[in-house]
């Protein structure tokens, strides 16, 4: 049985200091790799259905209205995700949006993800190649037909054909060798972004805005060699600054998101959704005034709009809140992407490319919290809870240091921790379990503790004004009481902005809807109806 235990900040900080173990607070400071595991789904941009019917591209986006820059020449990064670039129509729209910005005096550097779901398609084509079949047709059709519809130049189409040929050869190689290493997989998925920047630069040129496509490495992006999950190398900042500094200010650079080169010049990727990170790295290196992340929602929302129909956009959050939201399941930004913005103190704005006049969410270092109780609710499913109870009467420090030493040995990091003298409860996400170290971890812990694993849990996080945490918790507990939802763990204080509740997965949706009703829609927890059994 779980007991509710409140974890105090002091405890976590002390623990982190004593054992050098990377718990929650360090995630925001250090580029901890496990953070990249956040996105459960493969693509973050899937909310808007694509328009497939014939459209007149000459009229698309001609009515876009945007606000002029706040300073005369405003340097920006504008990053567009896959769904913003899903087909010729969307690309035309985004290109017109960029043109409007340029006309008004913005000086943007463009970062593009792969078109639509190309990254997923490339990943499956790798698996097919392993199984003996080489398919490039769907990828060829998507890119060449978009380029043709857009009326791009022969040289742009030739550059796409060249990449498609290279892609086909790579897939043939995978088929014959019968092996798909992480390094090859990174080379494989890189084609998506490499084609999309060529198409975007071509479209801008055609519209009369001079633009040039860059593969991230030619713009100076260097990474570590962890294929599939590489970290940005420090020298990227000076490299990018030097490349873009020398570049003609009248030409718009269009750079691939998500990919880079390691020190040996091999292609790497930054983890799914990594274009957000490219955007803030380039923004920090080029010292822009604002990084704009263009998505298909009106910004960061008070809850997942697919679950809570009444979710509303949040106009402002801090870097810390955005990172915490991303880490705890909001599929809006890559969790590591706040780090370059923090280091250079560059504002990040999340905007909707389907609704450019919406103000979006502004992310900065500080904001006025005086009228805020809860900013947003997010959740992370697929969690396991582990209860570890000492079988020996070791003192607290001996017991805890043993437990965490084992987690460190097994390279497993945890999300939420709660402890007493002789017991610890903690949560592990799917990515940690996929490392395959859990049986070894449990057997090591089993030598001095009773260990129980609870499956199908989820973490519901309230990004809150911690100065009013008593109010937040009292409402949250009342909600759980009214709905008969047992709270299995509660953590407040590990982060300065997050109150996390662990419940069984089956209660997740009901709890989030009720919490949203109480914190954002004026519902009283006392008036909630208990579920009919
Ligand atoms: N295209 C890559 C992905 O789908 C990177 C990105 O979209 O940011 O994960
Ligand atoms: Mg993508």
């Amino acid at each position: 049985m779980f007991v509710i235990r409140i974890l105090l900040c002091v405890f976590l900080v002390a623990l982190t200091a004593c054992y050098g173990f990377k718990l929650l607070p360090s995630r925001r400071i250090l580029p901890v790799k496990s953070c990249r595991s956040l996105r459960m789904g493969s693509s973050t941009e899937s909310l808007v259905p694509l328009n497939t019917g014939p459209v007149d591209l000459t009229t698309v986006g001609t009515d876009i209205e945007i606000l002029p820059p706040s300073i005369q020449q405003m340097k920006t990064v504008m990053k567009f995700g896959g769904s913003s670039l899903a087909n010729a129509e969307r690309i035309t729209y985004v290109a017109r949006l960029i043109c409007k910005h340029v006309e008004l005096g913005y000086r943007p550097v463009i970062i593009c993800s792969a078109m639509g779901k190309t990254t997923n398609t490339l990943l499956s084509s790798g698996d097919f190649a392993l199984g003996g079949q080489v398919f490039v047709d769907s990828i060829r059709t998507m890119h060449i037909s978009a380029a043709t519809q857009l009326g791009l130049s022969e040289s742009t189409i030739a550059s796409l054909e060249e990449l498609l040929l290279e892609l086909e050869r790579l897939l043939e190689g995978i088929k014959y060798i019968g092996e798909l290493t992480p390094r090859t997989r990174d080379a494989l998925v890189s084609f998506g972004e490499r084609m999309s920047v060529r198409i975007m630069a071509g479209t801008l040129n055609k519209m009369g805005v001079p633009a040039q496509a860059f593969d991230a490495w030619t713009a100076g992006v260097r990474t570590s060699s962890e294929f599939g999950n590489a970290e940005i190398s420090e020298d990227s900042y000076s490299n990018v600054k030097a490349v873009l500094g020398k570049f003609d200010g009248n030409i718009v650079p269009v750079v691939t998101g998500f990919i880079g080169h390691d020190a040996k010049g091999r292609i790497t990727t930054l983890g799914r959704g990594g274009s957000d990170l490219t955007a803030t790295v380039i923004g920090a290196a080029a010292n822009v005034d604002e990084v704009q992340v263009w998505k298909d929602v009106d910004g960061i929302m008070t809850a997942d709009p697919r679950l809570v129909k009444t979710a509303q956009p949040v106009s402002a959050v801090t870097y810390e809140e955005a990172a915490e939201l991303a880490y705890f399941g909001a599929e809006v930004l890559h969790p590591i992407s706040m780090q370059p913005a923090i280091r250079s103190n560059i504002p990040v704005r999340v905007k909707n490319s389907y609704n450019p006049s919406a103000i979006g969410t502004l992310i900065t270092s500080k904001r006025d919290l005086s009228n805020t109780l809860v900013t947003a609710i997010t959740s992370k499913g697929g969690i396991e809870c582990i209860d570890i109870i000492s079988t020996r009467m070791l003192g607290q420090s001996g017991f805890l240091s043993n437990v965490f030493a084992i987690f460190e040995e097994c390279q497993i990091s945890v999300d939420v921790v709660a402890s007493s003298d002789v017991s610890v409860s903690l949560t592990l996400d799917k990515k940690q379990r996929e490392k395959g170290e859990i049986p070894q971890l449990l057997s090591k812990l089993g030598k001095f503790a009773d260990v129980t694993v609870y499956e199908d849990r989820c973490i519901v996080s309230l990004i809150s004004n911690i100065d009013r945490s008593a109010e937040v918790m009292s409402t949250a507990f009342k909600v759980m009481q009214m709905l008969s939802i047992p709270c299995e763990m509660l953590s407040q204080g590990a982060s300065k902005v997050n109150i996390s509740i662990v419940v069984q997965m089956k209660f997740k949706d009901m709890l989030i809807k009720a919490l949203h009703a109480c914190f954002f829609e004026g519902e009283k927890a006392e008036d909630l109806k208990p579920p009919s059994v």
Side-chain angles (χ1 to χ4, degrees):
M1 267 284 283
F2 285 106
V3 202
I4 295 165
R5 301 160 189 140
I6 298 184
L7 170 72
L8 292 174
C9 177
V10 182
F11 164 68
L12 252 185
V13 171
L15 196 69
T16 311
C18 292
Y19 307 114
F21 187 76
K22 288 169 188 154
L23 295 172
L24 273 174
S26 61
R27 282 217 167 92
R28 287 185 304 275
I29 301 155
L30 299 167
V32 181
K33 283 157 235 138
S34 58
C35 292
R36 306 254 168 74
S37 66
L38 167 72
R39 285 163 195 254
M40 306 271 180
S42 43
S43 168
T44 56
E45 304 206 6
S46 55
L47 300 181
V48 180
L50 305 179
N51 186 346
T52 45
V55 261
D56 177 7
L57 293 183
T58 56
T59 57
V60 171
T62 44
D63 55 347
I64 296 174
E65 278 181 34
I66 48 170
L67 292 173
S70 51
I71 44 179
Q72 215 186 9
Q73 277 216 334
M74 189 168 178
K75 287 207 287 177
T76 57
V77 163
M78 297 174 82
K79 178 255 157 173
F80 297 94
S83 85
S84 301
L85 305 168
N87 52 28
E89 183 195 348
R90 293 307 308 159
I91 292 170
T92 305
Y93 188 89
V94 164
R96 291 234 158 85
L97 185 74
I98 296 169
C99 292
K100 275 264 157 69
H101 277 83
V102 173
E103 279 162 22
L104 282 175
Y106 290 91
R107 286 267 159 272
V109 177
I110 310 302
I111 312 293
C112 292
S113 294
M115 282 178 68
K117 304 254 179 240
T118 302
T119 308
N120 289 350
T121 315
L122 285 165
L123 286 170
S124 350
S125 72
D127 294 334
F128 276 117
L130 266 186
Q133 285 167 303
V134 171
F135 290 125
V136 272
D137 286 357
S138 64
I139 292 192
R140 167 172 283 116
T141 310
M142 179 175 186
H143 290 85
I144 299 294
S145 75
T148 318
Q149 272 175 276
L150 292 161
L152 301 189
S153 68
E154 269 173 33
S155 68
T156 305
I157 296 191
S159 72
L160 297 176
E161 286 290 3
E162 208 176 298
L163 287 172
L164 286 161
L165 190 65
E166 213 184 300
L167 166 65
E168 192 165 355
R169 290 204 184 114
L170 181 63
L171 290 169
E172 291 288 352
I174 295 167
K175 173 179 151 187
Y176 285 113
I177 300 168
E179 194 179 76
L180 182 51
T181 60
R183 176 179 161 190
T184 310
R185 195 174 280 122
D186 277 3
L188 177 65
V189 292
S190 75
F191 286 95
E193 271 70 10
R194 288 155 78 190
M195 287 193 283
S196 83
V197 290
R198 283 159 177 80
I199 294 177
M200 180 51 78
T203 311
L204 288 169
N205 280 321
K206 185 149 187 275
M207 287 181 185
V209 170
Q212 184 180 318
F214 283 87
D215 293 326
W217 46 87
T218 57
V221 178
R222 298 282 173 279
T223 73
S224 67
S225 303
E226 287 148 273
F227 298 103
N229 220 357
E231 275 173 24
I232 295 288
S233 308
E234 190 51 40
D235 57 350
S236 297
Y237 295 95
S238 49
N239 292 344
V240 171
K241 187 173 174 201
V243 174
L244 294 182
K246 276 196 236 115
F247 195 63
D248 181 344
N250 293 315
I251 302 179
V252 176
V254 184
V255 187
T256 55
F258 179 52
I259 59 179
H261 264 180
D262 73 356
K264 292 188 178 147
R266 300 174 298 187
I267 297 175
T268 54
T269 62
L270 304 174
R272 293 307 303 267
S275 302
D276 293 345
L277 179 57
T278 311
T280 51
V281 166
I282 293 200
N287 195 23
V288 299
D289 300 300
E290 182 172 289
V291 173
Q292 300 175 348
V293 180
W294 291 82
K295 303 259 163 189
D296 60 12
V297 282
D298 281 345
I300 292 179
M301 306 291 283
T302 49
D304 183 344
R306 288 167 294 192
L307 173 66
V308 182
K309 299 285 172 255
T310 44
Q312 309 135 27
V314 179
S315 60
V317 300
T318 62
Y319 296 127
E320 191 181 11
E321 289 173 317
E324 207 70 19
L325 268 164
Y327 187 72
F328 282 98
E331 295 178 347
V332 73
L333 284 170
H334 188 294
I336 305 282
S337 64
M338 286 302 114
Q339 289 176 358
I342 293 169
R343 93 187 228 156
S344 303
N345 200 16
I346 293 177
V348 177
R349 200 184 285 275
V350 182
K351 296 272 294 174
N352 188 355
S353 77
Y354 287 77
N355 183 16
S357 55
I359 182 100
T361 302
L362 183 63
I363 312 171
T364 51
S365 61
K366 281 198 190 71
R367 71 183 184 105
D368 177 16
L369 278 170
S370 51
N371 291 321
T372 305
L373 190 53
V374 172
T375 303
I377 304 171
T378 186
S379 69
K380 195 168 168 183
I383 297 289
E384 274 180 12
C385 277
I386 306 190
D387 249 9
I388 305 160
I389 301 171
S390 176
T391 44
R392 304 178 203 155
M393 282 301 148
L394 288 177
Q396 185 189 25
S397 62
F399 173 66
L400 289 178
S401 70
N402 279 347
V403 168
F404 287 112
I406 291 172
F407 274 81
E408 178 134 50
E409 268 168 44
C410 298
Q411 295 273 301
I412 306 267
S413 58
V414 299
D415 282 337
V416 179
V417 187
S419 86
S420 75
D421 279 19
V422 289
S423 72
V424 192
S425 295
L426 33 82
T427 63
L428 299 180
D429 68 16
K430 208 162 112 214
K431 184 78 179 197
Q432 299 304 314
R433 299 201 305 279
E434 280 166 1
K435 290 181 182 168
E437 301 292 329
I438 303 297
Q440 190 203 353
L441 175 95
L442 296 180
S443 94
K444 285 187 178 176
L445 291 170
K447 296 202 173 102
F448 60 91
D450 284 332
V451 184
T452 318
V453 178
Y454 298 84
E455 293 173 348
D456 283 330
R457 267 38 186 188
C458 74
I459 302 174
V460 174
S461 297
L462 295 158
I463 305 302
S464 314
N465 177 355
I466 290 298
D467 290 340
R468 294 170 69 184
S469 62
E471 242 175 288
V472 176
M473 283 199 254
S474 105
T475 302
F477 277 121
K478 190 77 200 167
V479 169
M480 287 186 278
Q481 182 198 348
M482 295 309 289
L483 301 180
S484 307
I485 300 176
C487 171
E488 302 193 336
M489 274 172 81
L490 172 78
S491 156
Q492 186 243 302
S495 127
K496 289 280 173 287
V497 299
N498 181 351
I499 293 175
S500 281
I501 299 163
V502 178
V503 296
Q504 290 174 51
M505 192 66 189
K506 64 180 180 194
F507 296 125
K508 177 179 121 277
D509 291 0
M510 178 169 65
L511 177 60
I512 293 174
K513 284 180 187 164
L515 289 171
H516 195 272
C518 293
F519 286 116
F520 297 102
E521 298 165 55
E523 181 100 25
K524 291 233 168 7
E526 293 75 20
D527 299 340
L528 290 170
K529 301 257 175 320
S532 45
V533 204

